[in-house]
Amino acid sequence: MEVGFTGKEAYRQHFDPKAFFNIYMPCGSSQTCEPATTFLQEKLHKAFRVDGIRGDTLIDIGSGPSIYQLLSACESFREIIVTDFLEQNRVEIRKWLEKDPEAFDWTSMVKYTCQMEGDREKWMEKEEKLRRTIKQVLPCDVTLANPLDPLVLQPVDCVLSSYCLESACNDVPTYRSAVKNVGSLVKPGGHLIFAVVLEETYYMVGPHKFDCLYLTPEIVTDAVKGAGFEVLWPQSLRLTFPLSISDAKGMFFIVAKKPSESQ
């Protein structure tokens, strides 16, 4: 990996989920990043609840320490598998699943999803539905041909990945390879959904700086097509952050479908 790009060991040592929550989650102490999180919730609501993407199993690749990206999906899939490279992130997800008092409080974001679905007051039912639907919490590495190695799963109906690959890939060829790796987990006729940070070269978590691959909608779209998917719809959001947090310029959401074997 090129000099200067944040490596795996730096993530293991310095990525602090609580510092991440404090900066990037609108239900933490900062409101700065709320447009990015609501953008993702709204687009996932459209994909799963409005467009009707559904099935038996969804894999979330690079979940981080977060569960809010799965709030719409739990109504459309029988089971969800969450994954992340970092053990400390998987620990945070397990805390929430087990109702640990130290788990992050997602209430405001759960209520926002419930509001889009028509009843903000059903947020406690939504939380329990998601807890029942998440069946496994697994390690993953998108740079591997099988990101779940050594575990081998049958291809699934949908793979979701939000704000992940751009921090795991140091150049565009590596990114294109990672998209293929993640896409290999989707069965024919299934869907691949990416949310991507645009034009970002770094983001901060606490005092630590993490490098990112500079991506444009064109790079992402070409990588998804190169992985054998048909793009159904994309959408962008222009957005700037304080440079003390990130130099990102926006968000990009893309829904794609793997052709069925009969096509």
Side-chain angles (χ1 to χ4, degrees):
M1 187 167 283
E2 69 186 36
V3 174
F5 197 89
T6 309
K8 296 176 182 180
E9 192 55 39
Y11 267 93
R12 290 191 185 99
Q13 291 182 14
H14 300 305
F15 189 93
D16 180 355
K18 290 182 172 56
F20 173 82
F21 291 145
N22 194 48
I23 296 173
Y24 296 101
M25 293 298 109
C27 37
S29 64
S30 169
Q31 300 297 311
T32 302
C33 302
E34 185 169 3
T37 55
T38 55
F39 173 76
L40 179 57
Q41 287 181 277
E42 289 164 4
K43 298 314 152 199
L44 290 171
H45 173 75
K46 172 174 164 46
F48 296 130
R49 304 307 306 279
V50 178
D51 294 354
I53 294 174
R54 57 193 312 110
D56 288 327
T57 304
L58 176 144
I59 299 176
D60 187 34
I61 292 290
S63 304
S66 306
I67 57 87
Y68 77 100
Q69 71 278 12
L70 303 170
L71 292 165
S72 292
C74 72
E75 305 291 344
S76 300
F77 293 87
R78 183 176 56 83
E79 67 174 21
I80 292 173
I81 299 169
V82 298
T83 72
D84 198 73
F85 178 72
L86 294 176
E87 172 63 18
Q88 58 262 46
N89 286 340
R90 300 194 297 271
V91 166
E92 286 297 325
I93 291 173
R94 293 190 192 100
K95 284 181 181 178
W96 183 81
L97 290 172
E98 296 163 6
K99 301 184 182 180
D100 188 311
E102 294 185 357
F104 187 72
D105 183 1
W106 296 99
T107 303
S108 69
M109 301 179 82
V110 179
K111 287 182 176 179
Y112 187 75
T113 294
C114 290
Q115 181 176 311
M116 287 190 289
E117 294 176 357
D119 190 347
R120 184 179 176 88
E121 298 310 310
K122 288 191 173 181
W123 66 274
M124 295 181 73
E125 294 177 35
K126 170 72 77 174
E127 287 194 336
E128 291 310 306
K129 179 71 175 288
L130 181 54
R131 286 188 174 99
R132 291 195 306 271
T133 306
I134 294 175
K135 304 298 186 183
Q136 297 183 78
V137 181
L138 302 174
C140 74
D141 184 341
V142 300
T143 65
L144 302 177
N146 170 18
L148 304 179
D149 186 76
L151 189 64
V152 178
L153 298 181
Q154 291 296 312
V156 299
D157 301 286
C158 185
V159 169
L160 166 67
S161 187
S162 310
Y163 312 144
C164 169
L165 272 65
E166 53 268 38
S167 59
C169 302
N170 68 324
D171 56 30
V172 172
T174 304
Y175 179 79
R176 292 176 64 88
S177 177
V179 172
K180 287 182 180 178
N181 297 342
V182 172
S184 72
L185 301 174
V186 181
K187 71 182 184 183
H191 292 83
L192 180 66
I193 300 175
F194 281 138
V196 180
V197 184
L198 295 176
E199 300 175 37
E200 181 181 45
T201 66
Y202 73 88
Y203 68 100
M204 302 297 297
V205 178
H208 299 287
K209 186 176 184 179
F210 295 89
D211 298 296
C212 277
L213 177 64
Y214 184 99
L215 292 174
T216 64
E218 293 75 20
I219 292 172
V220 178
T221 301
D222 287 348
V224 169
K225 290 179 178 178
F229 287 80
E230 171 195 358
V231 174
L232 300 183
W233 58 272
Q235 192 159 351
S236 298
L237 171 71
R238 298 307 294 179
L239 185 67
T240 56
F241 297 93
L243 293 179
S244 59
I245 293 176
S246 169
D247 64 349
K249 301 298 188 296
M251 306 291 161
F252 185 61
F253 188 87
I254 186 168
V255 177
K257 185 174 183 178
K258 180 175 282 190
S260 61
E261 293 174 334
S262 60
Q263 288 182 275

